[in-house]
Amino acid sequence: MPLKIELKPFERLLIGGAAIRNGSRRSSFVIETMTKFLRESDIITESEADTACKRLYLTLTVLYLSDDVSEIENLFVAQASELLEEVPSTAPYIRDINAHVAARDFYRAMKRGKDLIQYEATLADLLAKAPDSGSAD
């Protein structure tokens, strides 16, 4: 079944191994064959992966786009295990992501990875707003 994609001005899109950037006007096109693709909103660069959850998401992105996932899957397991050890409250996210990876549904794993990034940001906000328990007034 063909998939119609609309791109905003200057929006990026990855299709297979090709990176495409739209021009100055909104455009649309149809993908008629099965292929892996990511919109700019689903892409995170290495320089943007500045937290543990973002690094895990980047690994999930590479899993999704890769043809040979064995080495990348090992990296995912190591990152997920480390994150789970450091922040046990991420367990529901890691469990769901792991189930999607095991089922080879890497796109859904990425979507759950985005939820994990939002959870991490919420935790960071809570910690930033928490009163300093070590201060002596």
Side-chain angles (χ1 to χ4, degrees):
M1 174 188 250
L3 175 67
K4 182 178 180 181
I5 299 211
E6 293 195 22
L7 294 177
K8 299 173 191 164
F10 305 106
E11 184 177 10
R12 286 179 52 206
L13 178 71
L14 296 178
I15 301 177
I20 298 168
R21 182 171 300 277
N22 193 24
S24 60
R25 295 189 181 141
R26 188 173 202 83
S27 64
S28 66
F29 60 94
V30 176
I31 298 177
E32 294 182 336
T33 61
M34 294 295 295
T35 189
K36 297 174 185 176
F37 70 93
L38 286 177
R39 297 179 78 87
E40 185 169 18
S41 61
D42 293 325
I43 300 169
I44 187 170
T45 64
E46 281 189 59
S47 62
E48 294 169 330
D50 56 358
T51 67
C53 293
K54 288 179 182 178
R55 285 188 293 276
L56 184 70
Y57 181 83
L58 179 60
T59 300
L60 292 170
T61 302
V62 174
L63 272 172
Y64 172 71
L65 293 172
S66 182
D67 291 327
D68 181 19
V69 299
S70 57
E71 285 185 38
I72 304 157
E73 198 167 18
N74 291 336
L75 176 60
F76 161 73
V77 169
Q79 288 175 328
S81 297
E82 185 178 324
L83 181 59
L84 194 53
E85 187 176 310
E86 291 178 13
V87 188
S89 63
T90 60
Y93 299 94
I94 299 297
R95 181 194 64 234
D96 294 348
I97 292 168
N98 193 46
H100 291 307
V101 168
R104 297 299 192 245
D105 192 350
F106 300 123
Y107 189 76
R108 287 186 198 255
M110 286 176 53
K111 289 299 183 187
R112 193 64 172 142
K114 274 191 165 187
D115 295 339
L116 179 61
I117 290 171
Q118 287 183 327
Y119 176 72
E120 180 184 45
T122 301
L123 283 179
D125 287 346
L126 288 173
L127 289 173
K129 292 177 184 176
D132 186 5
S133 59
S135 65
D137 284 341

